[in-house]
């Protein structure tokens, strides 16, 4: 599987398409855990893992910084720590967190990203503490997929 095995990804994506650079996005629930300290520990472990297992093994790879979004201060610390490695090229956030991404509580995350000239990459997903739509939880993948669209709308 190309997303789980470096060799497969190199041959199926990088080599086949003569890709100059590729960004690895680790999608994991660590960034949205209730415990801010556990979330930070797991995000930090993920960021260290992506460096050791992927970035250090292929110069074409870049990565997104995974941050504990429910603590903007801890997220900013992790951005500051990871940004020293220029192979981290963006900060990864999910589109539907506990509070909308534009809320003031997230500004420390954005200031840290700005300090290091890093864009915010927003991926479909949520903390799943509340149904993603007024109709409740979807029963099928397609329903979940479609219900993610409002998370990208300005609020």
């Amino acid at each position: 599987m190309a997303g789980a095995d470096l060799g497969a990804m190199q041959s199926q994506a990088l080599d086949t398409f003569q890709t100059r650079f590729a960004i690895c996005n680790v999608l994991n629930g660590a960034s949205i855990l209730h415990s801010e300290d556990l979330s930070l520990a797991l995000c930090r472990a993920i960021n260290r893992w992506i460096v050791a297992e992927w970035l250090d093994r292929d110069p074409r790879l870049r990565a997104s910084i995974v941050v504990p979004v429910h603590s903007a201060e801890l997220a900013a610390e992790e951005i500051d720590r990871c940004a020293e490695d220029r192979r981290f090229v963006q900060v990864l956030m999910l589109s539907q967190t506990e509070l909308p991404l534009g809320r003031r509580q997230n500004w420390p995350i954005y200031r840290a990203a700005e300090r290091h000239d890093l864009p915010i990459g927003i991926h479909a997903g949520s903390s799943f503490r509340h149904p993603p739509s007024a109709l409740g939880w979807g029963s099928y993948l397609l329903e979940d997929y479609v219900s993610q669209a409002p998370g990208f709308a300005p609020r």
Side-chain angles (χ1 to χ4, degrees):
M1 181 181 332
D5 177 78
L6 178 63
M9 192 268 299
Q10 288 168 319
S11 67
Q12 295 174 21
L14 298 177
D15 299 338
T16 298
F17 297 105
Q18 299 177 356
T19 303
R20 190 166 157 214
F21 295 108
I23 301 173
C24 300
N25 290 324
V26 178
L27 300 176
N28 186 287
S31 65
I32 55 171
L33 292 176
H34 290 282
S35 169
E36 295 171 358
D37 295 323
L38 179 58
S39 182
L40 173 64
L42 292 173
C43 288
R44 187 161 287 170
I46 288 167
N47 293 328
R48 287 180 175 149
W49 171 82
I50 200 77
V51 167
E53 297 298 323
W54 292 79
L55 303 184
D56 285 349
R57 296 173 63 192
D58 193 307
R60 298 171 288 185
L61 296 179
R62 303 295 182 266
S64 298
I65 302 170
V66 178
V67 297
V69 296
H70 295 306
S71 174
E73 292 75 23
L74 294 177
E77 287 177 20
E78 185 62 3
I79 292 167
D80 289 337
R81 187 188 73 78
C82 290
E84 294 175 8
D85 185 336
R86 298 306 294 169
R87 296 174 297 178
F88 282 107
V89 295
Q90 69 180 2
V91 176
L92 184 63
M93 297 180 74
L94 297 177
S95 63
Q96 296 179 17
T97 56
E98 191 69 19
L99 293 173
L101 294 179
R103 295 289 301 266
R104 185 171 291 154
Q105 80 167 34
N106 292 316
W107 290 3
I109 297 171
Y110 305 144
R111 281 193 289 272
E114 182 181 34
R115 237 186 343 269
H116 299 286
D117 199 28
L118 293 169
I120 302 292
I122 302 173
H123 194 282
S126 78
S127 56
F128 293 112
R129 291 190 194 137
H130 308 288
S133 77
L135 298 175
W137 299 100
S139 300
Y140 302 96
L141 177 62
L142 180 60
E143 291 174 313
D144 181 63
Y145 185 77
V146 171
S147 70
Q148 297 296 321
F152 289 93
R155 299 182 218 185

